[in-house]
Amino acid sequence: MCANTIDKTRFLRDVFHGYYRTQLKKLSFPTRITERELAFFPFEGNFVKRHIGFSDHQQLLLYLRRYPPRHAYFSAAYFDKPDGERMDEKGWRGADLIFDIDADHFETQCRIEHDRWSCNKCGTKGKGVPPKKCPRCGAPNSQIKTYAWLCENCLSEAKNETIKLVEEYLETDLGIAKKDMIIVFSGHRGYHVHVHNRAFEPLGSAARREIIDYVTGNGIKVESFGLDEITGRHKVTVGPAVTAWGWRGRLARGIIGFLRTTDANHLSSIEGLRRRAKFIMQNRDKIIQGIQDVPPRYAIKGLKIDHLKKIAEEGAKWIGSKIDVTVTGDVHRLIRLPGSLHGKTGFRVVSLSFSELERFDPFRDVLAFRGTVRVHVKNPPPFRIGDHNYVGLKDEIIDLPTNAAVFLLAKGIADFQGVAS
Amino acid sequence: MYDVTLLEKYAKYPWSHSANNYIKSQHIPSLTSPEYQSLVSRGFTRVLEAIDNVEERISPISNIYEECMSYPIARMFIAAVNDDALHHRFAIRESKRALYFLMHEDQGVVLELVRSTFGWAVKTDRLVINNRVFDMSIAFQDYIQVAPFFQDPTWKMINRDVKSGWVYLDVRQFKRLIAEAVKRHVLRKPKVEARILRNLENMFREQLETIRRRWQTVRSRWGGGEITGEVWVEGFPPCIRELLAFTREGQNISHLGRFTLATFLLHVGLSVDGIVDLFRKAPDFQQDLARYQVRHISGEIGSGTKYTPPSCATLQTHHLCRAGDDKICHWVKHPLSYYRKKIRFRSSMKKERSKNAQGVSPKGSSKSEKTIEQRRALN
């Protein structure tokens, strides 16, 4: 490790330590801490220290002060013996229902501007969503290193997606009360929804997968929601109205949304629609108008029911919630500890009620530090910290407010030069 | 004296909460005494019915007391034999039996049964959508504990009408859901101490021998699906074939993908070293770590549990399923079942071929060819 890296790590550790020592009011730890496993990723080394249990919040706080971690996690699961080293020793009692919405799961336009990738093999660099194979040397995706940035647009999409998940799926369809939910800003590129309700704690992985598939639309059989061809004397194509409740209306709206945002190239890449892509694009408005009519008209001359079902399946994917499916399905999941700091940004992991989410600013309401720091900035994409926009920083030594400096240092695009006088 | 109506209910639904309470209240001192012989005998035939006639019609109840009290005795026999496949078959039979009675049951009785036995929250408000009538609704958290066990995708919650936490079903679907829950309920292993099991073995040696013998005869008819040491890549399901190809190419596959491949290969007979070698091309490959992880999931180290690959449902959720038009995929719920089925087809095809080679009657051979053709179509 070079001297610069040591200085940077030591500095980050020190400011994190300062936060855990002084910012007591900003810490909001989870409930039932005695039943949860805690895990920490220290500044020194590249490993996670797991299987730690605490008898109360005070013990946890003392630990954070003594060993300020780069990342801190807690289990969504409740255990008889949280510090047991093996799962069968821990005694699983149940787990909160959790959802993770991360900007990595959206293909936003801004990612083309701020995300970067490079090939470990040949050194080729590029912008935007990383390719599946290196376009120059053909190295597989495993050889491609990605640098994900976070911007206003990404986090605003993530917030909207969280609101959609909570209001449309969890509350309206599944009847889960907002008061039973805690929304957590991860401190980086997304939000977590924690459902605290004993009725859902015993659900196993298979049951949780049913919830995942419900909110994402995975495995949908569109016939179940009335999209089909009825054969009698005449063939009649029928389908749901946009105003219908649950997945019926959602399917109709999904078809419309998908058709509005797709293009001929994408349609041609879908098995079963390859030959009809041009026709669909030419008749797009007509199809959309038909679905919006009262009663809806799904029959389009030249489009078979199988094509329509294929479009509807794409529509379900388009409108389904963009959650990280591995998180919800894992009944032993470790998730970021509210109140802790995120090691990739220095932002606070903030716990919110649903009513607070709308007004929450993930670039202002997360700041943890005071003071000014001198850093050597490399070449960051534009970013905002608090009310200040940083645009056009390029290979320069500059004094920055600690929040902005920590952000760049933690993101790996600045070197530590010293605390500014 | 006892209430005949109540006892009749217990006889039909001996797995229910209230029947269980009644059975416990009966205090039978010794099952070997002659006065309880009829109960033991009915318990014994109950197990034999499951072995021999699992798909056959349920016969009407001839003696309500026997029918109720023989259920725990049958479960006791199942526990003593200690064979998961037999236990499963018994659960299927009991679930079919429950469905038979439920189909003609009074709604109040049905509601009381599921509320007290399974703790389900259910409502009876009517909903009509596109001329289809849904008379029952169940809390989604209760529904999803049973729904994953159905093979038909229409049972998935995503394919149900769900509103404010309630999943809507018609009466027939609701009763099928109960039957599936009964199966799961019967499948729960009774907690019986080893000492008691040994006593049972001594007391009912003859009956247990008969059960074991009959069960072996039925099982031997299935034969041919056992996984042997030989690894047959052509028999792998499409999901595993893709994971294997990606790994060989050195592509990065997800954690669950690696876990699925490693556990599958362990179960079909590949060694720990063979699997570690396979992952050698992975970009983040570290021999010691990979070896540790594979040994861990093989049960060699750690908790000693040999992990099984995830089910088809899990692979679907994680977008690792590649079923496409593969016909066998639509019959199975687990990648290993796919492999077993393929092996079974292969061994039966080999048998058919060798029969043909030895020159069986023309009639028999044409039938065999047809069977082979049909099986080929499946591949």
Side-chain angles (χ1 to χ4, degrees):
Chain A
M1 223 190 277
C2 72
N4 262 346
T5 316
I6 294 170
D7 285 348
K8 184 171 92 174
T9 307
R10 195 175 294 156
F11 168 73
L12 287 175
R13 189 184 186 280
D14 284 351
V15 288
F16 275 42
H17 184 216
Y19 166 79
Y20 290 119
R21 219 180 46 231
T22 57
Q23 304 286 319
L24 277 175
K25 280 186 189 162
K26 289 183 178 162
L27 301 176
S28 53
F29 295 139
T31 54
R32 293 164 67 186
I33 200 77
T34 53
E35 298 171 66
R36 311 228 195 217
E37 177 193 353
L38 275 286
F40 304 98
F41 194 103
F43 277 97
E44 305 80 16
N46 191 16
F47 60 92
V48 181
K49 210 170 168 199
R50 285 195 61 175
H51 314 303
I52 303 174
F54 291 102
S55 52
D56 55 32
H57 285 163
Q58 190 58 27
Q59 293 298 316
L60 168 59
L61 183 63
L62 288 174
Y63 183 94
L64 290 169
R65 284 178 178 174
R66 194 158 181 191
Y67 312 105
R70 194 187 285 271
H71 304 281
Y73 307 92
F74 78 109
S75 66
Y78 302 103
F79 299 107
D80 291 331
K81 194 172 172 287
D83 55 356
E85 297 225 339
R86 291 200 323 248
M87 266 315 150
D88 54 341
E89 272 176 39
K90 286 185 190 294
W92 188 84
R93 286 182 188 171
D96 293 331
L97 191 56
I98 47 171
F99 300 89
D100 175 16
I101 288 169
D102 197 302
D104 287 344
H105 293 102
F106 318 134
E107 290 195 9
T108 48
Q109 272 301 308
C110 55
R111 286 186 73 182
I112 298 163
E113 297 301 316
H114 60 60
D115 280 7
R116 290 162 198 192
W117 58 266
S118 66
C119 173
N120 286 343
K121 232 174 177 180
C122 69
T124 304
K125 287 179 181 174
K127 278 186 165 186
V129 180
K132 285 187 179 152
K133 274 183 179 179
C134 173
R136 191 160 147 217
C137 70
N141 58 355
S142 52
Q143 293 288 354
I144 300 202
K145 196 174 175 190
T146 55
Y147 306 90
W149 193 247
L150 62 163
C151 77
E152 305 264 1
N153 188 41
C154 291
L155 285 182
S156 155
E157 286 264 342
K159 187 195 272 188
N160 291 338
E161 196 63 31
T162 308
I163 294 171
K164 185 175 98 180
L165 170 73
V166 169
E167 294 202 312
E168 280 190 33
Y169 294 93
L170 302 186
E171 190 185 39
T172 308
D173 284 14
L174 299 183
I176 302 174
K178 281 180 187 151
K179 68 173 174 55
D180 288 345
M181 297 179 215
I182 290 174
I183 317 293
V184 176
F185 172 62
S186 75
H188 194 219
R189 285 167 62 81
Y191 293 87
H192 305 151
V193 179
H194 298 234
V195 179
H196 294 276
N197 183 323
R198 294 212 182 227
F200 310 129
E201 284 174 20
L203 296 177
S205 289
R208 284 168 203 248
R209 275 198 308 276
E210 286 288 318
I211 300 176
I212 296 169
D213 290 344
Y214 188 86
V215 302
T216 57
N218 184 38
I220 195 166
K221 294 279 162 213
V222 295
E223 303 86 349
S224 307
F225 300 108
L227 179 61
D228 219 338
E229 192 172 67
I230 300 172
T231 46
R233 193 183 291 172
H234 303 289
K235 280 183 183 170
V236 185
T237 307
V238 291
V242 283
T243 49
W245 55 267
W247 262 102
R248 288 174 189 271
R250 193 172 291 132
L251 191 63
R253 296 192 297 277
I255 299 171
I256 294 172
F258 168 70
L259 287 175
R260 281 196 178 134
T261 49
T262 192
D263 56 36
N265 273 346
H266 183 209
L267 281 173
S268 328
S269 69
I270 299 164
E271 214 183 306
L273 290 181
R274 204 160 293 145
R275 290 187 183 163
R276 303 310 290 159
K278 203 172 156 193
F279 177 85
I280 294 166
M281 289 309 290
Q282 281 166 350
N283 292 278
R284 168 159 69 175
D285 294 341
K286 204 168 140 192
I287 305 171
I288 292 175
Q289 189 53 54
I291 297 171
Q292 284 173 330
D293 278 355
V294 182
R297 288 180 298 107
Y298 277 83
I300 298 283
K301 209 174 171 189
L303 207 58
K304 287 184 180 164
I305 185 67
D306 288 347
H307 298 134
L308 208 50
K309 285 183 182 175
K310 210 77 197 161
I311 297 172
E313 283 165 17
E314 292 300 315
K317 271 188 219 163
W318 182 87
I319 204 165
S321 186
K322 309 290 179 287
I323 58 166
D324 181 341
V325 298
T326 54
V327 175
T328 308
D330 185 352
V331 295
H332 300 110
R333 191 77 186 182
L334 290 170
I335 195 153
R336 229 159 250 286
L337 178 72
S340 66
L341 295 176
H342 195 300
K344 282 187 185 168
T345 56
F347 290 169
R348 284 194 305 124
V349 178
V350 182
S351 173
L352 305 156
S353 66
F354 183 77
S355 58
E356 289 168 323
L357 177 64
E358 190 85 50
R359 296 170 62 85
F360 175 75
D361 179 344
F363 292 97
R364 184 194 290 122
D365 303 333
V366 295
L367 305 181
F369 313 113
R370 291 190 189 133
T372 312
V373 177
R374 180 161 298 171
V375 285
H376 179 189
V377 180
K378 288 166 190 171
N379 186 16
F383 65 101
R384 173 171 72 85
I385 297 289
D387 293 326
H388 197 95
N389 284 301
Y390 298 87
V391 186
L393 294 177
K394 204 170 186 184
D395 200 20
E396 55 190 298
I397 293 177
I398 184 174
D399 287 351
L400 287 177
T402 308
N403 287 309
V406 167
F407 176 71
L408 294 179
L409 289 166
K411 275 287 187 196
I413 39 177
D415 288 326
F416 179 66
Q417 296 289 315
V419 178
S421 51
Chain B
M1 279 302 288
Y2 46 75
D3 183 332
V4 176
T5 323
L6 269 182
L7 191 54
E8 194 185 336
K9 198 175 84 177
Y10 302 153
K12 287 194 276 186
Y13 314 113
W15 37 265
S16 67
H17 181 70
S18 44
N20 190 31
N21 285 344
Y22 172 78
I23 291 165
K24 275 185 189 161
S25 72
Q26 289 301 293
H27 302 298
I28 295 177
S30 167
L31 281 172
T32 43
S33 80
E35 59 178 308
Y36 299 120
Q37 205 188 338
S38 62
L39 302 187
V40 173
S41 165
R42 175 68 192 122
F44 173 61
T45 55
R46 218 169 166 130
V47 176
L48 294 187
E49 274 171 17
I51 295 174
D52 296 332
N53 314 311
V54 72
E55 294 296 339
E56 287 199 7
R57 277 185 68 100
I58 307 293
S59 32
I61 297 170
S62 55
N63 180 320
I64 50 177
Y65 185 72
E66 266 176 31
E67 199 65 11
C68 169
M69 298 304 292
S70 60
Y71 171 74
I73 297 170
R75 266 173 77 75
M76 186 190 73
F77 282 134
I78 296 287
V81 174
N82 191 23
D83 180 306
D84 286 348
L86 175 62
H87 193 173
H88 200 257
R89 202 168 166 104
F90 176 70
I92 293 175
R93 180 69 182 172
E94 287 300 319
S95 133
K96 280 186 190 300
R97 188 180 170 282
L99 186 61
Y100 170 80
F101 293 120
L102 283 167
M103 279 304 177
H104 313 284
E105 193 55 90
D106 174 68
Q107 196 179 59
V109 173
V110 176
L111 292 180
E112 191 277 324
L113 267 179
V114 297
R115 283 177 181 144
S116 62
T117 309
F118 307 129
W120 287 357
V122 283
K123 287 201 304 192
T124 54
D125 48 349
R126 174 172 282 210
L127 182 79
V128 182
I129 309 170
N130 294 352
N131 299 326
R132 284 198 64 189
V133 181
F134 299 97
D135 274 321
M136 309 297 300
S137 54
I138 167 168
F140 88 91
Q141 65 268 30
D142 297 327
Y143 180 77
I144 58 177
Q145 306 223 36
V146 186
F149 297 108
F150 287 97
Q151 182 83 4
D152 182 350
T154 57
W155 282 94
K156 284 182 71 64
M157 185 163 70
I158 174 66
N159 294 318
R160 293 275 147 201
D161 283 295
V162 185
K163 196 178 191 180
S164 303
W166 297 94
V167 180
Y168 287 86
L169 301 167
D170 65 32
V171 174
R172 206 182 162 77
Q173 289 165 342
F174 183 64
K175 289 181 176 171
R176 279 201 63 199
L177 190 77
I178 302 172
E180 190 58 38
V182 169
K183 191 161 124 194
R184 301 294 134 196
H185 190 77
V186 178
L187 270 175
R188 288 199 303 202
K189 291 205 167 151
K191 286 176 190 154
V192 190
E193 286 172 39
R195 181 181 51 86
I196 296 175
L197 282 179
R198 273 196 305 277
N199 280 348
L200 284 174
E201 200 68 48
N202 294 329
M203 282 191 293
F204 303 109
R205 190 174 300 275
E206 202 182 311
Q207 285 96 330
L208 288 170
E209 275 303 307
T210 310
I211 291 172
R212 285 196 179 103
R213 223 177 21 249
R214 284 258 197 118
W215 179 230
Q216 275 316 313
T217 316
V218 171
R219 285 212 77 171
S220 64
R221 275 187 233 141
W222 304 349
E226 295 83 11
I227 294 171
T228 56
E230 176 214 2
V231 179
W232 180 44
V233 178
E234 288 75 23
F236 289 3
C239 50
I240 302 294
R241 283 206 297 266
E242 183 179 285
L243 290 170
L244 189 63
F246 283 171
T247 309
R248 281 178 171 157
E249 284 169 22
Q251 291 212 36
N252 205 9
I253 54 175
S254 65
H255 172 74
L256 189 78
R258 289 177 196 203
F259 176 79
T260 306
L261 183 60
T263 44
F264 182 89
L265 294 175
L266 278 170
H267 275 268
V268 301
L270 205 67
S271 66
V272 170
D273 288 333
I275 296 169
V276 173
D277 259 357
L278 189 67
F279 284 104
R280 200 168 287 280
K281 273 197 178 172
D284 48 354
F285 179 77
Q286 291 175 36
Q287 172 132 354
D288 290 348
L289 183 65
R291 215 182 132 66
Y292 170 81
Q293 287 171 334
V294 178
R295 286 183 72 206
H296 192 91
I297 57 175
S298 73
E300 269 185 37
I301 51 170
S303 62
T305 313
K306 184 176 180 181
Y307 287 83
T308 44
S311 66
C312 296
T314 309
L315 297 174
Q316 276 157 16
T317 302
H318 292 266
H319 304 288
L320 290 170
C321 166
R322 296 291 177 269
D325 292 331
D326 193 303
K327 286 191 177 126
I328 301 181
C329 279
H330 294 285
W331 290 355
V332 297
K333 290 182 189 173
H334 200 277
L336 284 173
S337 313
Y338 182 105
Y339 188 61
R340 283 197 196 99
K341 256 194 186 353
K342 277 260 197 174
I343 290 179
R344 202 173 301 153
F345 286 143
R346 185 177 64 162
S347 57
S348 60
M349 278 170 75
K350 270 185 190 165
K351 268 186 207 162
E352 305 273 6
R353 275 201 206 104
S354 64
K355 262 190 202 168
N356 290 343
Q358 284 163 12
V360 284
S361 70
K363 198 181 169 189
S365 64
S366 71
K367 197 177 173 185
S368 308
E369 276 163 23
K370 194 180 169 192
T371 323
I372 293 170
E373 280 312 309
Q374 282 170 347
R375 286 171 184 170
R376 273 190 191 139
L378 286 169
N379 297 333

